[in-house]
Amino acid sequence: MRPTKLGVIGLGAIGGSLALQAKRAGIPRVLGWSPEPAERVAAAQRGALDDAPARATDVARAVELLVLAAPPAANLALLDTLAPHLGAGAVITDVGSVKRAIVAHAEARGFGPRFAGAHPIAGTHGHGFDAARLDLFTGAVVYVTPTRDGDGAAREIAHFWEDVLETHPVLIDAAQHDRQLALTSHLPQAVASLLARYLAHATPPGATFGPGARDATRLAASEPALWTEIFLMNRDELLPALPRRRVAPETRRVKVRGAVRPPGDKSISHRALMLAALARGTSEITGLLTGEDVKSSARVLRGLGAAVSTVREDATVKVHVSRFTRPVARLHCGNSGTTARLMLGILAGQRFPATLTGDASLRRRPMRRVTEPLRAMGARIDDAHGDALPLTIHGGRLHALSYTTPVASAQVKSALLLAGLTGKVTVNVREPYLSRDHTERLLLHLGLDLRYDHGAISLHPSAKSVPSFHLSVPGDASSAAFLVAAAVLAEGGELLVENVGVNPTRTGFLVVLERMGAHVERVNLRDEGGEPVADLIVRPPAAALRGTEVAAAEVPTLVDEVPILAALASRAAGETVFREVGELRVKESNRLELIAANLRALGVDATALGNDLHVQGTTRPPRGRVETARDHRLAMAFAVLGTVPGADIRLSERASVSISYPRFFADLRSIRET
């Protein structure tokens, strides 16, 4: 969204900076309002505003995008007052640092489709328009928090922040935002304020403070009334953050117990949504993963005209579409590489252009392995940003393709199969090793003409449409791996992990565990939607784990489990070597280097040599800080390692687990008995 008329309510440091930068970016008309007439005059004189009406409602009536830049509690009242005055098609957002309250307020008042919250991670300790800066937001991350029915508004607002204000927007659930900010912003502010108060009372008269004291208390110079309001509005997240947290007690004996069910399979969830959107009629999906990546796929499909019901826990998700339509804005894939790469395949067969983008992490990840074969099929792809998003794809008439992938990649294979399906041309794909085959199984389950010919997979689309379907998504094998590993590291007990997909292309983790001395029993084997499913019984091994070598041919069946296997290897006798895992360098992070570096930070001898990972086991308790780089699998792997008796592992963040396993920490606590 690039509005021709922008309204800013509140002209302090944040609102004033936003107005200044919008004018510099060429927004034709910026209107602003402040309860302080002097601020309105100052903003107009500095060129931030084209007009400063005396009433906020006059601003709301005149603009296409309205930004509430008052303190968080005032924004709640302003939302009630101003939203009814917006013109048709106008949207509204805010810039407060607490999001759950205003998102819930917008939903309760019926403003959800026109509202999304925003929070730029940029600021100043000054206040008032005099503290406004022309470059305050440039290069900053801005969190965008959609309402349940406001994905369209969220896309528009994210595009505004990216295109006009030169920021890096990240879509995030409002509750997750508040939990994260409690730790990364609100808690440091509270600590600095408490320290400043203590020093003010305890320091002898005439004492001189050193640089360390000044640095440690600098945050306390911020406006106290504003921060009191923020603390009160986010108290449910801030108060639990105040005690020191550990992943596990230091010396207690840890056992496992009970039963746990991992969330829906991420890979199957993506594919089920996409094929449901390509199907004729209404499809229903249960057990869908509710993580952020799958929500990104749902959001992109809605942007193409699909009706996708809300993705939430224990809900049946319904998907219906008459036909895809040209999107009115960029399709934002969040942090989901699967969404981006598979949607490139689907869009290759559509007769309109579309632009895919993502968050800062996804925009650094390579796309050429998908775009090159799609170009060979006839798709036109503009890659002004090189081998990365944003990418604009011009779909249309495709031709048949026979392709050998340089690496075993389920995403590349699936993108090409989906391109063949939507373009109605034959596709033949050969891999060096068999990668995950969820796409093939689902296509066969739907009765499509998929064949296995001498090690290659070929799809022969027909003129008939994909049929609608009902599907139950099994539990994610990769998520289950963390629970299995926690049980393996325990000192006793038994754990039942229910409803796990045991597709042979996903269970290399269990094969390696067996070699390391940990047996996992599969019971209640069954088939659901073409996928094998079982319950897993896990008991800690009687003897110590032993090191092993993971061959290159095994890696496609366990690529997402390398972090947790490396964590287990750090507790095994001898050395464990993972061969040819260079693929990990282009995951959500440089996962290969981070696994090695974090293990070393915990006192483990670990090295990435070329594309191989070497881990030497130790009996010393792991202690130190882990940098997750917001990689969900690193956060979960090292949290599990932190359950070892005597461990003291401090994660740089925990919020990233919501990408694939929102309940992870609650489930990890529930299975432990100390």
Side-chain angles (χ1 to χ4, degrees):
M1 179 182 197
R2 190 177 181 87
T4 58
K5 295 179 182 179
L6 170 69
V8 183
I9 305 297
L11 297 171
I14 299 296
S17 299
L18 191 151
L20 282 169
Q21 196 163 338
K23 285 306 298 179
R24 183 183 68 175
I27 298 300
R29 192 160 175 78
V30 178
L31 287 72
W33 180 86
S34 166
E36 301 294 333
E39 278 193 333
R40 300 200 297 268
V41 172
Q45 288 177 342
R46 253 183 92 181
L49 302 179
D50 297 290
D51 193 8
R55 294 181 299 183
T57 51
D58 292 336
V59 177
R61 291 189 187 98
V63 299
E64 299 157 13
L65 171 61
L66 185 66
V67 181
L68 306 180
N75 283 339
L76 293 175
L78 286 167
L79 182 65
D80 279 342
T81 302
L82 300 180
H85 294 277
L86 290 174
V91 294
I92 186 168
T93 186
D94 80 309
V95 293
S97 69
V98 182
K99 302 267 65 109
R100 184 162 51 181
I102 195 163
V103 166
H105 197 71
E107 291 172 345
R109 297 297 191 276
F111 305 141
R114 307 180 73 176
F115 178 86
H119 176 209
I121 307 302
T124 172
H125 297 298
H127 55 274
F129 184 79
D130 289 342
R133 291 188 357 227
L134 189 58
D135 62 347
L136 183 64
F137 303 117
T138 302
V141 169
V142 57
Y143 290 118
V144 178
T145 55
T147 61
R148 282 194 298 267
D149 50 357
D151 281 346
R155 287 195 303 273
E156 298 277 8
I157 289 162
H159 184 254
F160 167 75
W161 279 98
E162 182 176 39
D163 185 53
V164 177
L165 300 177
E166 301 176 357
T167 68
H168 303 296
V170 176
L171 269 71
I172 186 172
D173 176 73
Q176 180 189 341
H177 168 278
D178 287 1
R179 284 194 296 273
Q180 178 175 317
L181 268 291
L183 292 168
T184 61
S185 175
H186 305 166
L187 179 60
Q189 181 73 41
V191 171
S193 300
L194 290 170
L195 178 58
R197 184 175 185 275
Y198 172 78
L199 292 177
H201 288 86
T203 305
T208 300
F209 289 104
R214 288 197 297 271
D215 289 345
T217 57
R218 176 178 56 84
L219 294 176
S222 299
E223 192 174 354
L226 172 63
W227 276 101
T228 299
E229 183 177 298
I230 291 170
F231 291 160
L232 288 172
M233 289 186 70
N234 203 27
R235 60 186 178 274
D236 290 344
E237 302 297 342
L238 180 59
L239 289 175
L242 289 172
R244 186 181 179 199
R245 288 180 163 186
R246 294 182 185 272
V247 174
E250 282 201 4
T251 57
R252 295 178 184 174
R253 180 176 173 83
V254 179
K255 295 182 179 182
V256 286
R257 63 177 180 182
V260 65
R261 180 172 291 222
D265 188 284
K266 186 155 77 85
S267 296
I268 298 174
S269 294
H270 283 296
R271 289 156 173 82
L273 279 176
M274 292 177 189
L275 283 168
L278 295 173
R280 179 187 66 252
T282 300
S283 296
E284 296 185 353
I285 309 167
T286 59
L288 204 69
L289 174 65
T290 60
E292 294 304 313
D293 276 10
V294 173
K295 289 180 179 178
S296 290
S297 283
R299 181 173 60 248
V300 167
L301 292 169
R302 292 186 191 110
L304 291 166
V308 183
S309 63
T310 303
V311 177
R312 63 175 183 267
E313 201 75 34
D314 300 324
T316 297
V317 176
K318 296 183 179 182
V319 183
H320 176 81
V321 63
S322 298
R323 62 183 179 84
F324 281 155
T325 57
R326 179 174 178 170
V328 298
R330 289 182 174 188
L331 301 171
H332 204 292
C333 303
N335 187 246
S336 176
T338 303
T339 302
R341 295 185 180 113
L342 269 60
M343 286 307 306
L344 282 169
I346 288 175
L347 291 168
Q350 310 301 320
R351 305 227 171 158
F352 52 72
T355 300
L356 292 172
T357 189
D359 66 13
S361 169
L362 183 57
R363 293 198 302 271
R364 291 192 295 267
R365 287 152 71 182
M367 295 291 152
R368 187 166 293 133
R369 63 178 60 176
V370 173
T371 58
E372 283 187 348
L374 289 177
R375 282 193 178 101
M377 293 181 73
R380 288 192 299 117
I381 301 172
D382 299 336
D383 55 358
H385 297 269
D387 183 24
L389 300 180
L391 289 171
T392 298
I393 181 166
H394 302 261
R397 190 178 300 280
L398 303 180
H399 46 258
L401 176 74
S402 289
Y403 185 72
T404 299
T405 63
V407 296
S409 169
Q411 291 182 359
V412 174
K413 175 175 60 177
S414 297
L416 298 180
L417 291 173
L418 290 170
L421 181 64
T422 57
K424 299 193 182 303
V425 296
T426 299
V427 172
N428 184 283
V429 182
R430 186 179 299 276
E431 299 180 285
Y433 308 110
L434 180 62
S435 63
R436 298 179 181 184
D437 64 354
H438 299 301
T439 303
E440 299 96 297
R441 286 175 180 267
L442 192 47
L443 292 172
L444 286 169
H445 179 67
L446 296 177
L448 301 182
D449 188 1
L450 187 84
R451 307 171 192 174
Y452 293 87
D453 300 321
H454 301 95
I457 300 143
S458 59
L459 176 69
H460 302 264
S462 64
K464 69 177 185 179
S465 302
V466 177
S468 59
F469 57 88
H470 296 254
L471 184 72
S472 176
V473 177
D476 193 294
S478 297
S479 296
F482 298 105
L483 305 170
V484 169
V488 168
L489 289 176
E491 296 176 299
E494 178 180 285
L495 180 66
L496 176 65
V497 188
E498 298 176 323
N499 196 49
V500 180
V502 289
N503 183 313
T505 64
R506 296 287 300 281
T507 53
F509 169 79
L510 298 178
V511 175
V512 172
L513 270 188
E514 193 81 33
R515 290 205 302 270
M516 296 178 78
H519 176 67
V520 178
E521 186 179 353
R522 306 181 200 191
V523 299
N524 193 20
L525 281 162
R526 55 203 183 274
D527 181 279
E528 292 185 8
E531 293 281 348
V533 182
D535 300 333
L536 307 180
I537 298 176
V538 196
R539 304 176 187 89
L545 294 173
R546 52 185 178 268
T548 187
E549 179 169 321
V550 179
E554 294 179 283
V555 170
T557 69
L558 53 75
V559 65
D560 285 339
E561 289 71 66
V562 173
I564 188 59
L565 281 170
L568 291 173
S570 74
R571 309 304 299 167
E575 184 183 51
T576 298
V577 182
F578 300 83
R579 299 293 185 192
E580 294 300 320
V581 287
E583 172 75 6
L584 297 179
R585 297 186 192 277
V586 292
K587 289 290 186 179
E588 287 85 337
S589 63
N590 186 337
R591 201 174 273 172
L592 178 56
E593 296 292 347
L594 280 169
I595 292 170
N598 282 316
L599 285 173
R600 289 195 299 270
L602 302 178
V604 178
D605 182 3
T607 312
L609 296 175
N611 288 329
D612 296 346
L613 175 64
H614 297 252
V615 181
Q616 183 68 45
T618 179
T619 58
R620 293 190 302 272
R623 296 181 178 180
R625 182 180 184 277
V626 166
E627 174 53 61
T628 71
R630 301 197 55 75
D631 185 321
H632 55 127
R633 300 202 192 279
L634 292 182
M636 290 187 281
F638 284 100
V640 169
L641 186 57
T643 63
V644 171
D648 182 9
I649 294 178
R650 300 176 298 281
L651 302 179
S652 63
E653 58 79 40
R654 297 157 42 119
S656 59
V657 304
S658 66
I659 289 172
S660 62
Y661 196 163
R663 302 191 314 268
F664 170 71
F665 285 102
D667 284 352
L668 186 62
R669 286 192 298 271
S670 75
I671 65 174
R672 288 165 45 216
E673 178 182 293
T674 57

